[in-house]
Amino acid sequence: MLASELPRWLSCFPTKLAQYANDPHFCAGWQALRAMDCDGTFPIELLWRMGSVLFKPDSILTRNATEGLRLLNENHASVRAIRILHFEPGLVRQFWQYSLGRLSDERIGVLGSLMMQTPSVYVLASIPESKDRIPGALQLTELKGDALPAKRKAHQLRCAMGPPQSVLFNFVHTADEPADVIRELGLLFSGANLRNLLLEARVGCDDALAHATITRVMEACPSSTLDLQTAVNHVRSSLSETGETSAAGVTMSAALAALDDVASGVRGSWSKAEALLALLGVTASELDCMIISGWDAPGQRHTRSEAFPSCEKRHWSSRISQG
């Protein structure tokens, strides 16, 4: 596929369209949409007002997902279709493929672990045209809020959905632009599943059904505050239950001191604590390990590389001003 064959409104980044023209997931999504556009079942221009919101497992564990759904409605976003998704490690890397150049290996690993904790809920939503003349996907991304907690605004999902407030535990992912929505659709769905999703999206989804779907997922999964101190205390309790004061030259006091560093937020201290705990025969639960790693892992690579930046409103404003 040639990037020149794609509508310019799919992205404000020519480099993104050039990359996606050779991306098999985007191509699969685009071909399905083209076929439905040709037979009149889903006009492609409907994507201009449509975006995606992925309620990640942290929103399920904390029971914040229903609040996120309420906030979407409060901000005039209408759920068009909803699906329950199960992420495997390989799918995580494919889904966030174009972010791998800026995310640290540690964060990617923890993200993979997080996405395995519970199912996720994928929502296609539409939102009314804005005076800024930006696509619906980007409007939802602006509503989502920044990756950095300090930059989030009170009304944005990642802030308003509640605690915890961290870089990794941020509750929702959104596709930045229509091109990203298409790539997600081609990656996550295929054949009749994709066609049925888009047919549903054209008609719209009842709010009660969307709420019931998310509630059903949450009720079937464990709950957690994702609190660092709570997770560390669980590990301390497991350590005290061993009754061992030393092993292989490692003392319990040394392990407790390492856990104190973890609880204090000393970056990189968890790997040291894990090694000491292993020598004492103590292993943290999968959930506690994921929680602690989520607070401990560095978010970004020291040297970042990316084919194109995350899209922001200023990028579209610049494109509009340039005609």
Side-chain angles (χ1 to χ4, degrees):
M1 182 189 302
L2 297 176
S4 58
E5 298 173 351
L6 298 171
R8 288 188 60 206
W9 59 265
L10 295 182
S11 173
C12 65
F13 299 124
T15 52
K16 178 185 286 187
L17 291 181
Q19 287 272 335
Y20 280 12
N22 295 298
D23 183 298
H25 309 302
F26 174 85
C27 291
W30 179 247
Q31 288 165 7
L33 281 161
R34 286 278 295 169
M36 294 184 72
D37 181 67
C38 288
D39 66 23
T41 53
F42 189 91
I44 286 175
E45 59 266 23
L46 291 179
L47 278 181
W48 176 252
R49 301 276 16 101
M50 203 171 291
S52 68
V53 181
L54 178 72
F55 289 97
K56 295 163 46 246
D58 37 335
S59 73
I60 304 299
L61 290 164
T62 57
R63 305 299 190 255
N64 289 346
T66 48
E67 177 65 6
L69 195 63
R70 186 191 70 79
L71 290 163
L72 285 177
N73 291 333
E74 189 176 274
N75 285 275
H76 311 294
S78 301
V79 175
R80 309 300 301 177
I82 188 166
R83 292 292 186 273
I84 298 169
L85 296 178
H86 298 267
F87 275 76
E88 298 295 334
L91 179 58
V92 171
R93 294 189 68 87
Q94 289 177 316
F95 193 79
W96 278 279
Q97 176 182 338
Y98 293 95
S99 300
L100 298 181
R102 62 176 181 270
L103 299 180
S104 69
D105 290 337
E106 294 89 346
R107 182 176 173 187
I108 295 166
V110 181
L111 178 60
S113 178
L114 170 64
M115 298 304 294
M116 294 284 287
Q117 297 297 318
T118 75
S120 299
V121 179
Y122 187 79
V123 168
L124 286 178
S126 61
I127 193 165
E129 183 77 52
S130 73
K131 60 179 174 31
D132 300 310
R133 294 162 57 200
I134 62 175
L138 186 55
Q139 282 183 252
L140 291 170
T141 294
E142 291 287 313
L143 178 60
K144 171 189 66 179
D146 201 276
L148 297 176
K151 292 185 176 182
R152 294 171 192 165
K153 298 175 182 176
H155 73 281
Q156 293 175 320
L157 298 181
R158 286 177 167 174
C159 182
M161 284 173 69
Q165 292 294 318
S166 78
V167 171
L168 180 76
F169 302 130
N170 52 33
F171 307 131
V172 291
H173 160 87
T174 59
D176 288 348
E177 301 182 284
D180 301 300
V181 177
I182 294 170
R183 183 181 183 274
E184 288 181 0
L185 293 174
L187 172 62
L188 299 173
F189 309 97
S190 61
N193 289 330
L194 177 52
R195 182 177 178 85
N196 290 338
L197 176 72
L198 291 170
L199 289 173
E200 181 180 322
R202 185 173 185 181
V203 175
C205 176
D206 181 77
D207 288 342
L209 174 62
H211 189 276
T213 300
I214 288 182
T215 300
R216 185 170 73 251
V217 173
M218 292 193 302
E219 289 177 345
C221 295
S223 64
S224 172
T225 60
L226 301 179
D227 177 65
L228 173 63
Q229 304 302 326
T230 301
V232 172
N233 286 338
H234 288 164
V235 181
R236 285 196 183 105
S237 296
S238 298
L239 179 58
S240 65
E241 290 169 3
T242 65
E244 295 286 341
T245 58
S246 65
V250 176
T251 63
M252 183 179 290
S253 60
L256 287 170
L259 287 174
D260 288 341
D261 286 342
V262 174
S264 298
V266 177
R267 183 70 72 188
S269 56
W270 176 232
S271 59
K272 176 184 176 182
E274 271 193 302
L276 295 175
L277 291 167
L279 292 172
L280 291 168
V282 177
T283 303
S285 72
E286 181 182 352
L287 179 58
D288 285 332
C289 186
M290 186 277 296
I291 292 170
I292 295 170
S293 298
W295 288 98
D296 182 66
Q300 303 287 330
R301 294 183 181 276
H302 292 301
T303 303
R304 297 174 51 171
S305 64
E306 52 189 0
F308 43 81
S310 296
C311 189
E312 299 175 11
K313 187 166 68 174
R314 61 187 175 88
H315 295 121
W316 270 87
S317 298
S318 175
R319 170 184 164 165
I320 291 170
S321 66
Q322 294 172 9

